[in-house]
Amino acid sequence: MAGRALIPFQLTATLLLALLATSHAGGIAIYWGQNTGEATLSATCASRKYEFVILAFVFQFGQGRAPKLDLSGHCDASSGGCAVLSSDIRSCQRRGVKVLLSIGGGAGNYGLSSPADARCYLGGSSSSRPLGDAVLDGIDFDIELGSAKFWTTLPSKLAPQPACRCMLVSCAHGPQRHGQERRHGGAAERGAAVPVPDQWDGGAINTGLFDFVWVQFYNNPECQFSSGRSAFLDAWKQWESVPAGKIFLGLPASKDAAGTGFVPAGQLTSQGSSKYGGVMLWSKFYDDRTGYSSAIKSHV
C-alpha cells in the first residue's frame, strides 16, 4: 500500500532457496499496469532491472465478447487512450526489454467456447489496436477462471504470428489473486498447491510451444518456501519436467503484494537448476516501494 511505512529487508541469509542458478544468468519479469502509483512504462524499462515487462490485463475476451484491456488508471483503453503507450513499448524494446500482454487474471469475463475463439487479437494486423502500432513480444497466459477447454488450441494459433511467438504463462491455481490492489481483483485469497499439470494451462503447456513458464509460488501455501524446503523443491522439480524452455520463480515484491509467500531478499541463495530462467515479481507498484528487484538482482 502506498501510504504504509516501508519494511527494511533483512539481508542476512538464513535459509536456502535452492534453485537460483550459480551463474546468475537469470532475468527478472515484472507485471505492470494495475496501479496508478507505479513508475511509467518507459521509466520501468529504463531502470534496466527487468528482462520482461508484462502489461496486465486483458480481462475480457472470447465467446463472442469484444476484448477489453484494463491498465487501471494509466490510460483508458475503451476511448483509445492507451495508444500513447506505443512509443513506450518501442522504447522498452530498443533497450532489449521484451513487452508482453497478459490475458486473463483473477477476475474478469473471459473464456474460450471454440477453436475459433483461440486467436490473437493483437497479432500485428488487427483493426483493433488499443496499444497503438507497436508490436508486442508475446502473450502471457494468466488463466484463473472458467473452463479448461480450448486453451490447448490457443498456443498453436498464436505461435505462427510474429507478435505472439514468445509464449508465456503465469500459473495461478484455484480461486486466488495476485495482490490486494487490483481493480479487477480484490483481496488475496488462499489457493491450492502448485500442481502439475496446471488446472487451466496444463494442456497448453504440453504443446511444447512455451518459451517460458513463471510459476506462482505465492498464495499457494502448500508449496511455497515457508512450508519447508522439501515441499518447495518437490514442487519445483515437478515444474522442471514440463516441456517448456525456462521456469521462472514467481514471488511477491513485498509482504503487501500477496496473502502468503513473501521471501525476504536475503534468503535468495544461489544453487543451480538447468531450467531456471529467473524470477517473476508481482508487481511494479510494490517493487517501487520496497526495492525488491534491486535487492535480489545480484542473486538472480
Side-chain angles (χ1 to χ4, degrees), residues 83-108:
V84 298
L85 292 177
S86 189
S87 61
D88 283 9
I89 292 170
R90 286 194 292 268
S91 174
C92 290
Q93 292 167 333
R94 285 194 297 270
R95 296 178 185 275
V97 179
K98 292 181 173 62
V99 182
L100 312 158
L101 181 66
S102 186
I103 62 173

Side-chain angles (χ1 to χ4, degrees), residues 71-128:
L71 294 180
S72 293
H74 288 282
C75 56
D76 181 4
S78 64
S79 66
C82 290
V84 298
L85 292 177
S86 189
S87 61
D88 283 9
I89 292 170
R90 286 194 292 268
S91 174
C92 290
Q93 292 167 333
R94 285 194 297 270
R95 296 178 185 275
V97 179
K98 292 181 173 62
V99 182
L100 312 158
L101 181 66
S102 186
I103 62 173
N109 189 19
Y110 59 85
L112 301 177
S113 59
S114 70
D117 257 351
R119 59 190 179 93
C120 183
Y121 291 102
L122 297 176
S125 60
S126 172
S127 60
S128 175

